[in-house]
């Protein structure tokens, strides 16, 4: 490549996306093909695809770690399993409420959010989601690297003796870093597949991975009969300590997929119809509770067999002597992590980034950026250094996501009663501009729901900082944020309504927009005509009196 060609390639203009005829936006600065409503021919996701999607996401190492790490903080299966079930029942309701919006309007979360937050304030939630998705991407990539390590060690046991040249404080070894890089390379090509086609990966994963999990469950009950293992274990906690630990576990269950509860429209926008995604209401609690049960049962068996709480399944596999079993179990976890990382993290981050820079970033480029920044800049091995840190991280980001979800649900279903203007969401000076692009009702809801949880968040990061009883509020961070933000947003929207955003019916496309505008103008003309007639009558009356 010549110097001139390289120079031209590095210019920003060389990276500008080919102009698309945007459906609603005034020009390409505000949208691109990946941001526009999904056309009918690309709405391909069926009920079966959503079932496969959630089975795929439930058979995920993070879900296993969530369940088993509850044992690490002192709960038994009797407390942990109900926490998982109740948490996912709650999150499934929110998932369907927000998912139905995407299935009806066929627009992504970053665009939809403008109707409740305001055109410019919506960028706050979008940027927050980008950061969170990148964190999760890094965590899942690290987990995938553990799977690769176990696969390679099963083939070449000498890998376990590879000299480590990194300090202990790094929380990762030389072999671990090598496997991290290998998994990152394996994962990267799958990130270039379109959302319409990636659903087939979820279907394959939903068939293969549950078989491996069931095999591990059978292994656990054979090695350690339930009479002397899983069902005989009891919690070491009691009183208020037990209650708050259970609430913390519930909050962590809500937190693990509270990201998708916010941006589920990114996936339901591809639904054939809104009924296709209703199945989430049933499949989410069933799949996640069953997978949580497997994680708890196998971890309990590990306590009896190995004398410690191995809440990370890859560390449990590391104790196996059967190399073939270790290889195939690790391969299943590679597939599990791969599907989840793309569906829940890189695609979500990419969708958000398309809104930040529509002229330069589409979904494919956004995933590449996520792979680089989320995969390397965030050092996920630090987050997963211990079980307490894992739960603290899960609780930490629910501080923001609970309020986001609450405002979205309240705005569409209760404030505007499903009557919103889709074309205006693409216009910076449209009806959702509110006050200079900020809906102060959403701002107030965030200010009243997030700060009360900050002392608990600070304490979870640094336990030496004592915050008194505020630490317990943090144990219910998602629920507190969701309901407080919903209440504040609804009350302020009713008492101080943004009248320009209220419609007689929903405006879905430009034709609806034109018809509504014509009807509105006709009403105004009628009023003006009546006013003119009344003025003429008054004029005649005055003349007669004279």
């Amino acid at each position: 490549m010549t110097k001139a060609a390289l120079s031209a390639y590095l210019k920003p203009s060389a990276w500008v996306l080919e102009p698309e005829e945007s459906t609603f936006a005034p020009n390409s600065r505000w949208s691109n093909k990946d941001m526009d409503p999904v056309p009918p021919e690309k709405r391909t996701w069926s009920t079966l695809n959503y079932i496969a999607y959630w089975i795929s996401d439930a058979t995920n190492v993070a879900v296993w770690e969530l369940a088993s790490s509850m044992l690490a903080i002192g709960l038994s299966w009797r407390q942990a399993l109900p926490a998982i079930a109740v948490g996912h029942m709650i999150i499934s309701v929110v998932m369907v409420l927000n998912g139905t919006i995407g299935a009806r309007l066929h627009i992504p979360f970053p665009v939809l959010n403008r109707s409740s937050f305001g055109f410019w304030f919506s960028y706050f939630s979008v940027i927050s989601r980008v950061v969170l998705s990148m964190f999760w991407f890094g965590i899942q990539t690290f987990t995938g690297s553990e799977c690769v390590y176990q696969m390679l060690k099963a083939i070449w046991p000498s890998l376990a003796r590879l000299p480590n040249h990194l300090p202990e404080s790094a929380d990762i070894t030389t072999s671990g870093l090598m496997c991290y890089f290998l998994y990152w390379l394996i994962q990267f090509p799958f990130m270039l597949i379109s959302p319409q086609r990636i659903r087939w990966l979820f279907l394959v994963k939903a068939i293969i991975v549950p078989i491996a999990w069931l095999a591990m469950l059978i292994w656990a009950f054979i090695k350690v009969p339930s009479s002397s293992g899983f069902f005989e274990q009891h919690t070491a906690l009691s009183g208020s300590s037990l209650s708050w630990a259970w609430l913390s576990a519930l909050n962590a269950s809500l937190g693990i997929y509270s990201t998708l509860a916010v941006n589920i429209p990114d996936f339901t926008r591809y639904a054939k119809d809104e009924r296709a995604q209703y199945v989430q209401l049933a499949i989410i609690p069933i799949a996640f509770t069953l997978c949580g049960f497997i994680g708890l049962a196998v971890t309990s068996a590990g306590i009896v067999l190995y004398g410690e709480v191995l809440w990370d399944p890859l560390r449990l596999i590391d104790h196996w002597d059967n190399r073939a079993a270790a290889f195939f179990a690790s391969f299943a976890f590679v597939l599990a992590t791969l599907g989840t990382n793309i569906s829940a993290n890189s695609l979500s981050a990419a969708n958000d980034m398309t809104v930040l820079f529509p002229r330069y970033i589409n979904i494919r480029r956004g995933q590449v950026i996520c792979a680089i920044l989320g995969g390397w800049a965030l050092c996920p091995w630090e987050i997963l250094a211990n079980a307490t840190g894992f739960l603290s991280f899960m609780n930490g980001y629910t501080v923001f996501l609970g309020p986001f979800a609450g405002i979205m649900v309240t705005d569409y279903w209760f404030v505007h009663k499903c009557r919103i203007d889709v074309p205006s969401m693409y216009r910076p000076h449209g009806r959702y501009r509110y006050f200079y692009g900020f809906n102060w009702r959403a701002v107030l809801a965030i200010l009243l729901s997030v700060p009360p949880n900050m002392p608990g968040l600070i304490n979870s990061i640094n336990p030496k900082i004592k915050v008194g009883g505020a630490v317990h509020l943090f144990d219910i961070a998602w629920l507190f944020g969701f309901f407080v933000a919903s209440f504040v947003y609804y009350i302020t929207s009713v008492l101080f309504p943004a009248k320009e955003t209220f419609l007689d019916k929903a405006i879905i496309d430009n034709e609806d927009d034109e018809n509504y505008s014509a009807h509105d103008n006709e009403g105004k003309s009628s009023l003006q005509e009546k006013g003119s007639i009344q003025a003429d009558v008054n004029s005649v009356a005055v003349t007669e009196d004279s």
Side-chain angles (χ1 to χ4, degrees):
M1 183 180 290
T2 65
K3 185 176 180 180
L6 179 61
S7 178
Y9 186 76
L10 295 177
K11 289 181 179 179
S13 58
W15 291 88
V16 173
L17 294 169
E18 292 184 10
E20 299 287 350
E21 187 177 345
S22 182
T23 309
F24 303 128
N27 54 58
S28 61
R29 178 185 175 188
W30 301 108
S31 185
N32 58 44
K33 185 171 66 174
D34 287 341
M35 281 179 61
D36 284 340
V38 177
E41 66 273 12
K42 292 186 177 180
R43 299 170 194 169
T44 56
W45 285 48
S46 64
T47 296
L48 177 62
N49 292 131
Y50 286 104
I51 292 174
Y53 176 87
W54 283 111
I55 292 176
S56 170
D57 268 14
T59 50
N60 166 20
V61 178
V63 175
W64 182 301
E65 290 173 341
L66 169 70
S68 55
S69 62
M70 291 178 185
L71 301 181
I73 63 172
L75 296 177
S76 75
W77 71 272
R78 293 173 176 82
Q79 294 83 38
L81 201 60
I84 295 169
V86 172
H88 285 94
M89 286 178 187
I90 295 171
I91 212 70
S92 68
V93 173
V94 179
M95 202 77 70
V96 169
L97 288 173
N98 279 332
T100 300
I101 307 173
R104 283 182 181 177
L105 307 180
H106 314 292
I107 58 177
F109 153 73
V111 175
L112 171 64
N113 212 29
R114 292 169 176 173
S115 65
S116 54
F117 279 64
F119 193 91
W120 293 116
F121 187 50
S122 68
Y123 282 79
F124 167 69
S125 60
V126 169
I127 293 171
S128 300
R129 277 285 301 119
V130 169
V131 174
L132 292 170
S133 295
M134 287 186 177
F135 263 109
W136 263 115
F137 179 87
I139 290 171
Q140 292 288 343
T141 302
F142 177 78
T143 302
S145 73
E146 289 187 305
C147 304
V148 171
Y149 174 81
Q150 294 301 331
M151 290 175 65
L152 294 179
K153 188 168 74 72
I155 300 172
W156 298 289
S158 60
L159 179 64
R161 298 187 296 274
L162 184 71
N164 177 35
H165 299 288
L166 297 175
E168 186 177 351
S169 59
D171 288 318
I172 191 170
T173 63
T174 300
S175 59
L177 193 59
M178 177 192 71
C179 292
Y180 185 89
F181 179 66
L182 288 175
Y183 179 80
W184 186 88
L185 287 178
I186 294 168
Q187 176 178 247
F188 189 78
F190 290 93
M191 299 173 68
L192 306 180
I193 302 175
S194 70
Q196 290 86 4
R197 294 180 179 178
I198 199 67
R199 71 186 194 277
W200 298 113
L201 173 64
F202 305 146
L203 184 60
V204 171
K205 177 186 168 185
I207 295 171
I208 295 176
V209 179
I211 295 174
W213 282 44
L214 288 173
M216 293 183 72
L217 179 64
I218 294 170
W219 167 84
F221 282 130
I222 291 176
K223 286 288 186 178
V224 182
S226 58
S227 59
S228 59
F230 182 60
F231 294 108
E232 288 299 311
Q233 293 177 3
H234 299 277
T235 181
L237 304 175
S238 61
S240 61
S241 298
L242 175 59
S243 299
W244 288 115
W246 189 86
L247 287 173
S248 179
L250 172 66
N251 194 58
S253 298
L254 290 164
I256 193 168
Y257 273 98
S258 59
T259 50
L260 267 176
V262 171
N263 76 295
I264 188 63
D266 288 343
F267 297 94
T268 56
R269 65 191 293 226
Y270 299 107
K272 290 183 177 179
D273 55 61
E274 66 178 81
R275 293 187 299 275
Q277 54 89 44
Y278 288 163
V279 72
Q280 296 177 111
L281 199 60
I283 193 62
I284 290 174
I286 292 173
F288 281 82
T289 302
L290 288 176
C291 291
F293 172 79
I294 294 174
L296 290 168
V298 178
T299 302
S300 296
I303 294 174
V304 175
L305 292 173
Y306 308 118
E308 58 180 318
V309 181
L310 298 168
W311 59 277
D312 183 341
L314 279 307
R315 294 181 182 176
L316 184 142
I317 292 174
D318 190 49
H319 285 72
W320 291 0
D321 295 325
N322 189 320
R323 290 164 57 186
F327 177 87
F328 287 112
S330 299
F331 172 77
F333 278 112
V334 165
L335 184 58
T337 308
L338 180 65
T340 300
N341 216 13
I342 293 173
S343 66
N345 302 319
S346 66
L347 269 175
S348 299
N351 270 292
D352 294 343
M353 280 187 251
T354 61
V355 175
L356 298 179
F357 304 101
R359 294 188 67 190
Y360 298 98
I361 299 179
N362 56 16
I363 289 178
R364 178 173 292 181
R365 291 180 182 179
Q367 291 206 77
V368 172
I369 294 171
C370 178
I372 296 171
L373 296 182
W376 294 101
L378 298 178
C379 300
W381 45 87
E382 297 286 349
I383 298 172
L384 291 170
N386 57 74
T388 303
F390 184 78
L391 286 177
S392 296
F393 173 72
M394 301 288 286
N395 285 335
Y397 72 79
T398 60
V399 167
F400 298 95
L401 295 179
F404 291 169
I407 291 171
M408 290 174 65
V409 168
T410 304
D411 179 79
Y412 183 80
W413 293 102
F414 301 109
V415 174
H416 288 105
K417 296 179 172 59
C418 309
R419 298 190 291 266
I420 61 175
D421 182 352
V422 173
S424 283
M425 295 184 197
Y426 291 84
R427 300 165 184 163
H429 296 283
R431 72 174 74 247
Y432 298 115
R433 181 173 172 81
Y434 293 101
F435 183 76
Y436 293 100
F438 287 72
N439 183 358
W440 65 265
R441 302 156 192 83
V443 175
L444 183 63
I446 295 292
L447 291 177
L448 293 180
S449 59
V450 172
N453 280 310
M454 297 310 292
L457 177 60
I458 293 171
N459 176 261
S460 72
I461 296 171
N462 186 358
K464 294 180 180 179
I465 300 176
K466 303 301 180 183
V467 295
V471 69
H472 295 310
L473 186 61
F474 183 66
D475 290 331
I476 54 171
W478 191 92
L479 291 171
F480 177 86
F482 182 89
F483 286 108
V484 170
S486 298
F487 177 78
V488 172
Y489 186 82
Y490 180 78
I491 293 298
T492 52
S493 296
V494 170
L495 295 179
F496 308 98
K499 296 180 181 179
E500 70 278 7
T501 67
F502 287 87
L503 307 170
D504 295 329
K505 64 175 184 178
I507 299 176
I508 306 301
D509 53 33
N510 278 324
E511 184 177 347
D512 290 338
D513 193 19
E514 291 169 1
N515 292 338
Y516 190 91
S517 298
H519 175 75
D520 193 39
N521 290 333
E522 182 181 343
K524 290 178 181 178
S525 298
S526 178
L527 288 173
Q528 290 172 354
E529 184 178 350
K530 288 179 181 178
S532 177
I533 292 173
Q534 185 64 47
D536 290 342
V537 169
N538 292 340
S539 176
V540 170
V542 169
T543 303
E544 289 178 351
D545 289 343
S546 301

